[in-house]
Amino acid sequence: MADFRPGTPDQEEFLRELLGAGYLIESGVPGVYGRGEAFERVRLGFDAKVTAASEEESPEHMVFPPLLPRRQMEDVGYLQSFPHLACTVFSFDGDEEQAAEQEHRAAAHEDWSDFQEMTDLVLKPAACYPVYPAIAARGPLAPGGVLVDAGGTYVFRHEPSGDPARLQAFHQREIVRIGEPETVVEWRNRWRDRSLELLRSVGLDAVPDVASDPFFGRSGRLLARSQRAQELKFEVLVQIAGPEPTAVASFNYHQDHFSAVYGLEMAADDGGDTTAHTACLGFGLERITLALVRTHGLDQEGWPAAVLAELGI
Amino acid sequence: MADFRPGTPDQEEFLRELLGAGYLIESGVPGVYGRGEAFERVRLGFDAKVTAASEEESPEHMVFPPLLPRRQMEDVGYLQSFPHLACTVFSFDGDEEQAAEQEHRAAAHEDWSDFQEMTDLVLKPAACYPVYPAIAARGPLAPGGVLVDAGGTYVFRHEPSGDPARLQAFHQREIVRIGEPETVVEWRNRWRDRSLELLRSVGLDAVPDVASDPFFGRSGRLLARSQRAQELKFEVLVQIAGPEPTAVASFNYHQDHFSAVYGLEMAADDGGDTTAHTACLGFGLERITLALVRTHGLDQEGWPAAVLAELGI
């Protein structure tokens, strides 16, 4: 199992405050918490702000469950880039005798993994993944492509940590753009700027940055360098419980990565390249909630009236 | 892996209609579907009706993520009753060489399960499970106990099927009551009747029934018989795509099952038994949505105005 990464003293202290004030509820596993009313009120308030901004562009809505077909994880190369973060789903398919032995071991908190087999499902690592095959299944795209608001759904990263801003399960508020390369890049850059407005409107000191994904291993460092050099990924950072600011939103241009896997094409008739490009953006709703609590304090009644109004609280 | 259970011709036809009309979106794995706008509108409409009814009793709100500590699944005996439905979370903890071999096999769609190890997390099999330890952690309960609205969150059952009403991941709209035995039973029975009103108000032909859980194996049949004899579980049934009506809500009295595990106690001072009892109710939001579509038709514009008004559509 992945090593637990302790939080800094500031992070651990902030976690204790969040648990004490009922924002989060201890589960016994780091990075997995229940959420109290105060937390959900803020999370859903910011979620609604993103929805309102997204609706200006009249997206199509699609929502996908937390489970992704394992085949998709295999096809998109997730295990090359992020094997350390991937979560797979196993289950039991034995007889009554094996079930009894499994239960016997489990009740004694001994190892019962021998009785579990890999299923054809994994946990969804990013909210945009199921969108690409769903759109590809429709055939070539009309000029201008498509815009999909994929809502705010749970995604999963296996990285147990004492930092409350590093959860194993969190809501990614996701929007996906598929179309001509220049359409997609323009959309991605516009939303990076739009997100700064949204985050600053609720009093967060948000700054943009060129970023890279947490690729695995030595070869991952090369990938990260290339990703930065091409400015494929932007993030917006906010100070939560430090020491470094934390990414609360990301804006990703995938070029033809997903199109090559799923055959996403524009219905162009001029004989040129018809490969569609894709981009996505994700707001980390839990991190934004934590940033708001860290910025404005545990007591929501004391938050600036303008911030409460923006969040509909 | 559990055998795929094909749907009946009626069920498979209904699934094709749902996919064709954009209610559901194919993922490639049976029982796992994306949801289109028309589906979500109805699901959230009924969800809001439950919330409005629940608010009359001023519950506390707690929301839990799709992941449950494995320890809790071991402690509550889930693997004794439902080993065939449980889903566990595995992940990778190897080095770069192992990651490369895993990726190699995965890209070829070969077996890469050897590289996956059991984590300390499982998929949440029922929405009420995390509530009990969270309440127990507070110490003895004041007279009258507590009422927790746990929202509508994803739960997981490993039972791939061609019946669209049998999903591997679905939203359980859950409310939990913990208190004196008579308090808990009265609440459970009252909500069984309340649920009939809610379901009938949107035009569903809902009927109550004494029920049992789908316990595993031969010994499970005895458990099921005992559960029925004691009327520990009620369900509300609606005809969806048949042949039998489908349970769309359940009302469960656990007696001291969870209290014995987590030490839930009433702060009674009369020297009598202070063990708290628990009950929960769950509405299956996807099944209710499907029942509404089956009853009123694929075209929501043609639904009775009173039904649309009840759903806020």
Side-chain angles (χ1 to χ4, degrees):
Chain A
M1 231 182 305
D3 285 337
F4 168 64
R5 190 167 16 166
T8 65
D10 270 1
Q11 290 166 352
E12 305 259 4
E13 170 63 19
F14 186 41
L15 175 57
R16 278 191 296 274
E17 288 175 1
L18 293 162
L19 293 167
Y23 278 89
L24 297 180
I25 302 163
E26 191 79 80
S27 82
V29 172
V32 177
Y33 306 100
R35 295 97 196 282
E37 300 184 16
F39 190 97
E40 286 295 280
R41 194 183 301 134
V42 176
R43 181 178 74 78
L44 295 171
F46 193 83
D47 189 5
K49 281 188 72 66
V50 177
T51 299
S54 168
E55 285 304 309
E56 292 171 14
E57 300 181 339
S58 303
E60 176 172 351
H61 295 264
M62 291 183 170
V63 188
F64 292 91
L67 300 173
L68 189 78
R70 171 161 52 82
R71 176 110 195 172
Q72 288 185 30
M73 180 176 270
E74 293 167 354
D75 283 338
V76 299
Y78 189 83
L79 294 161
Q80 183 155 38
S81 301
F82 314 108
H84 53 309
L85 300 178
C87 298
T88 56
V89 177
F90 278 55
S91 71
F92 172 82
D93 189 32
D95 58 23
E96 294 192 43
E97 199 180 327
Q98 289 164 321
E101 177 60 20
Q102 173 178 263
E103 156 65 13
H104 180 76
R105 290 199 209 166
H109 305 302
E110 292 167 1
D111 182 2
W112 46 284
S113 61
D114 285 353
F115 297 100
Q116 295 287 301
E117 295 174 28
M118 192 176 233
T119 70
D120 52 3
L121 293 165
V122 300
L123 296 188
K124 189 167 66 175
C128 65
Y129 281 11
V131 173
Y132 308 113
I135 296 295
R138 297 181 184 169
L141 303 178
V146 298
L147 176 66
V148 176
D149 186 333
T153 65
Y154 266 110
V155 298
F156 304 87
R157 309 275 167 89
H158 187 246
E159 45 178 353
S161 162
D163 178 1
R166 192 167 293 280
L167 298 174
Q168 298 200 59
F170 60 93
H171 287 90
Q172 216 170 47
R173 181 68 184 78
E174 189 87 0
I175 312 178
V176 179
R177 191 78 175 89
I178 307 175
E180 300 86 356
E182 60 282 8
T183 307
V184 156
V185 169
E186 186 275 329
W187 175 85
R188 195 268 309 246
N189 295 347
R190 188 156 36 80
W191 263 95
R192 177 197 52 196
D193 301 339
R194 186 85 176 83
S195 77
L196 287 170
E197 289 169 32
L198 285 174
L199 291 161
R200 289 171 181 165
S201 78
V202 290
L204 295 180
D205 186 11
V207 293
D209 199 9
V210 176
S212 60
D213 285 306
F215 294 109
F216 180 74
R218 281 187 309 272
S219 56
R221 286 195 285 277
L222 286 174
L223 287 173
R225 207 174 306 154
S226 160
Q227 190 182 31
R228 278 178 188 274
Q230 296 180 79
E231 300 201 343
L232 297 180
K233 185 181 192 77
F234 289 105
E235 288 179 341
V236 172
L237 310 174
V238 176
Q239 188 69 44
I240 303 181
E244 301 301 320
T246 301
V248 299
S250 76
F251 306 85
N252 309 285
Y253 176 37
H254 318 118
Q255 299 170 310
D256 67 351
H257 176 74
F258 291 107
S259 304
V261 174
Y262 295 112
L264 284 160
E265 284 204 71
M266 307 306 299
D269 56 2
D270 59 2
D273 182 11
T274 57
T275 304
H277 278 209
T278 69
C280 74
L281 69 87
F283 289 91
L285 294 181
E286 277 76 1
R287 285 185 173 179
I288 291 168
T289 303
L290 295 178
L292 285 163
V293 174
R294 187 72 177 186
T295 301
H296 302 305
L298 291 167
D299 178 13
Q300 283 174 30
E301 291 188 14
W303 287 19
V307 170
L308 293 173
E310 287 285 344
L311 293 168
I313 295 178
Chain B
M1 233 183 302
D3 285 338
F4 169 64
R5 190 168 15 166
T8 66
D10 270 0
Q11 290 166 355
E12 305 259 3
E13 170 65 17
F14 186 42
L15 175 57
R16 278 191 296 275
E17 288 174 1
L18 293 163
L19 292 167
Y23 279 90
L24 296 181
I25 302 163
E26 191 78 80
S27 82
V29 172
V32 177
Y33 307 101
R35 295 97 196 279
E37 299 184 15
F39 190 97
E40 285 295 280
R41 194 183 301 133
V42 176
R43 180 178 74 79
L44 295 173
F46 194 83
D47 190 3
K49 281 189 70 68
V50 177
T51 300
S54 168
E55 284 304 310
E56 292 171 15
E57 300 181 339
S58 303
E60 177 171 350
H61 295 265
M62 290 182 172
V63 187
F64 291 90
L67 300 173
L68 189 77
R70 172 162 52 82
R71 177 107 195 176
Q72 287 185 31
M73 180 176 268
E74 294 168 352
D75 283 338
V76 299
Y78 189 83
L79 294 161
Q80 183 156 35
S81 301
F82 314 110
H84 53 310
L85 300 178
C87 297
T88 55
V89 178
F90 278 54
S91 72
F92 172 81
D93 189 33
D95 59 22
E96 294 192 42
E97 198 180 326
Q98 290 165 319
E101 176 61 21
Q102 174 178 263
E103 156 64 12
H104 180 76
R105 291 200 207 164
H109 304 302
E110 293 167 0
D111 182 1
W112 46 284
S113 60
D114 284 353
F115 297 99
Q116 296 286 302
E117 295 174 28
M118 192 174 233
T119 71
D120 52 3
L121 293 165
V122 299
L123 296 188
K124 189 168 66 175
C128 66
Y129 281 12
V131 174
Y132 308 113
I135 296 295
R138 298 181 183 169
L141 303 178
V146 299
L147 176 67
V148 175
D149 186 331
T153 65
Y154 265 111
V155 299
F156 305 86
R157 309 276 167 88
H158 187 246
E159 45 178 353
S161 162
D163 177 1
R166 192 167 294 280
L167 299 174
Q168 298 200 60
F170 60 94
H171 288 89
Q172 217 171 46
R173 181 69 183 79
E174 188 88 1
I175 312 178
V176 178
R177 190 76 174 90
I178 307 175
E180 301 85 358
E182 61 280 9
T183 305
V184 156
V185 170
E186 186 276 329
W187 174 86
R188 193 269 309 245
N189 294 348
R190 187 155 40 78
W191 262 95
R192 177 196 54 197
D193 301 339
R194 188 85 177 83
S195 78
L196 288 171
E197 289 168 32
L198 285 173
L199 291 161
R200 288 170 181 165
S201 77
V202 290
L204 295 180
D205 186 11
V207 292
D209 198 10
V210 176
S212 60
D213 284 305
F215 294 108
F216 180 74
R218 282 187 308 273
S219 57
R221 286 196 283 277
L222 286 175
L223 287 173
R225 206 173 307 154
S226 159
Q227 190 183 29
R228 278 179 188 274
Q230 296 180 79
E231 300 201 342
L232 297 181
K233 187 182 190 75
F234 290 104
E235 287 179 341
V236 171
L237 309 174
V238 176
Q239 188 70 42
I240 303 180
E244 302 299 322
T246 300
V248 299
S250 76
F251 306 85
N252 309 284
Y253 176 36
H254 318 117
Q255 299 171 309
D256 66 351
H257 176 75
F258 291 107
S259 305
V261 173
Y262 295 113
L264 285 160
E265 284 204 72
M266 307 305 298
D269 55 2
D270 59 1
D273 183 10
T274 57
T275 305
H277 279 210
T278 70
C280 74
L281 69 87
F283 288 92
L285 294 181
E286 278 75 1
R287 286 185 173 178
I288 291 168
T289 302
L290 295 177
L292 284 163
V293 174
R294 186 73 176 187
T295 300
H296 302 304
L298 290 167
D299 178 13
Q300 283 174 30
E301 291 188 14
W303 287 19
V307 169
L308 292 173
E310 287 283 345
L311 293 169
I313 294 178

